[in-house]
Amino acid sequence: MRIRGAIFDVDGTLLDSMEVWDSIGENYLRSIGYEPKENLNETFQNMSLQQAACYYQTEYCVTLGIDEIMAGVNAMLKRYYFSKVPLKAGAAEMLEWLRGNGVKLCIATATDRNLVEGALERCGVLHYFDGLFTCSEVGHGKDEPHIFEAALRFLGTPKAETAVFDDALYAVRTAKEAGFLVAAVYDSHEKARDEVRLLSDLYLEDLTQIYKLKRLQ
């Protein structure tokens, strides 16, 4: 089995950034002078940013407008991505090895394009990728295969020889059911790690484990 194409997730896979998403709701609220009275990460888990902004208004009586709240959250995220969020250990070396072995690379992410491009450019790895697909641009989340199929069409590689690198159970399941190779990546924020491991064709405890990929080449 040879990998000819690779589709990479970003948060929790290439970037050590899940802590940002786990805390952004509470951090933003504190930044405007309100104290959270609950675990906002759990509350916001299935909400859009606009829905979260409405929640701030109704549950915390935030007097700012919806657009102003959304702009504030996005500005905070931009500061994190453009100046703080680090690559996971071994990410640059793995990307270099894959490109050096003729593997075509692109990104499939739920995070906004400008945040991803800013972080990966700062970390010096954006140039490894020929394409970047976001869920908002494709119009579907990773609970459906559309973003992976769009990336596959762009790469032009056989599906059976195209690996999806992701840390999240729902994305791993979607890619596997759609017929892709799955290279799952450990992240401490994914609680269903045993299930992720069982579903994957290759499980990477971290991105320094290039030797596992070498077995497939």
Side-chain angles (χ1 to χ4, degrees):
M1 183 189 305
R2 177 178 172 82
I3 297 177
R4 299 184 185 276
I7 302 169
F8 273 88
D9 172 54
V10 176
D11 295 292
T13 300
L14 289 173
L15 293 179
D16 194 4
S17 53
M18 293 309 297
E19 182 64 32
V20 172
W21 294 100
D22 282 353
S23 60
I24 186 67
E26 295 180 358
N27 287 346
Y28 173 73
L29 195 60
R30 291 190 178 101
S31 77
I32 58 173
Y34 297 80
E35 187 60 30
K37 55 191 177 186
E38 62 192 293
N39 185 336
L40 282 178
N41 175 52
E42 291 185 3
T43 301
F44 289 167
Q45 191 170 22
N46 296 313
M47 289 188 189
S48 67
L49 179 53
Q50 184 172 12
Q51 288 170 326
C54 291
Y55 188 88
Y56 282 133
Q57 289 182 330
T58 58
E59 299 299 321
Y60 287 88
C61 299
V62 173
T63 57
L64 299 174
I66 297 296
D67 289 344
E68 194 172 0
I69 292 171
M70 291 173 63
V73 173
N74 281 325
M76 183 172 282
L77 285 169
K78 187 173 181 179
R79 287 196 296 274
Y80 284 134
Y81 276 79
F82 279 55
S83 64
K84 294 181 179 180
V85 173
L87 279 177
K88 281 195 164 184
E93 292 79 7
M94 178 168 287
L95 296 173
E96 174 70 25
W97 185 84
L98 287 167
R99 283 302 295 261
N101 281 271
V103 179
K104 297 179 179 179
L105 307 178
C106 70
I107 288 168
T109 178
T111 302
D112 287 349
R113 174 180 291 271
N114 70 311
L115 298 179
V116 170
E117 290 180 338
L120 296 184
E121 178 68 31
R122 173 178 55 81
C123 293
V125 298
L126 184 61
H127 67 280
Y128 288 115
F129 298 97
D130 297 314
L132 194 162
F133 296 83
T134 71
C135 290
S136 61
E137 293 170 355
V138 172
H140 296 270
K142 289 187 181 179
D143 55 336
E144 300 176 279
H146 297 77
I147 191 168
F148 300 128
E149 298 288 357
L152 180 69
R153 289 192 295 271
F154 173 83
L155 291 174
T157 51
K159 180 182 283 189
E161 297 178 339
T162 302
V164 172
F165 289 73
D166 210 301
D167 64 293
L169 173 60
Y170 78 105
V172 165
R173 181 184 291 118
T174 298
K176 185 67 175 177
E177 290 177 352
F180 289 87
L181 288 173
V182 174
V185 179
Y186 167 83
D187 188 83
S188 61
H189 290 78
E190 175 52 70
K191 303 307 180 186
R193 292 188 289 275
D194 289 342
E195 191 171 352
V196 169
R197 186 190 294 271
L198 287 172
L199 282 172
S200 63
D201 298 289
L202 180 70
Y203 189 80
L204 302 171
E205 299 286 352
D206 60 62
L207 296 180
T208 66
Q209 295 182 323
I210 296 175
Y211 68 89
K212 291 187 178 181
L213 292 179
K214 292 180 178 178
R215 295 172 184 167
L216 302 180
Q217 298 299 97

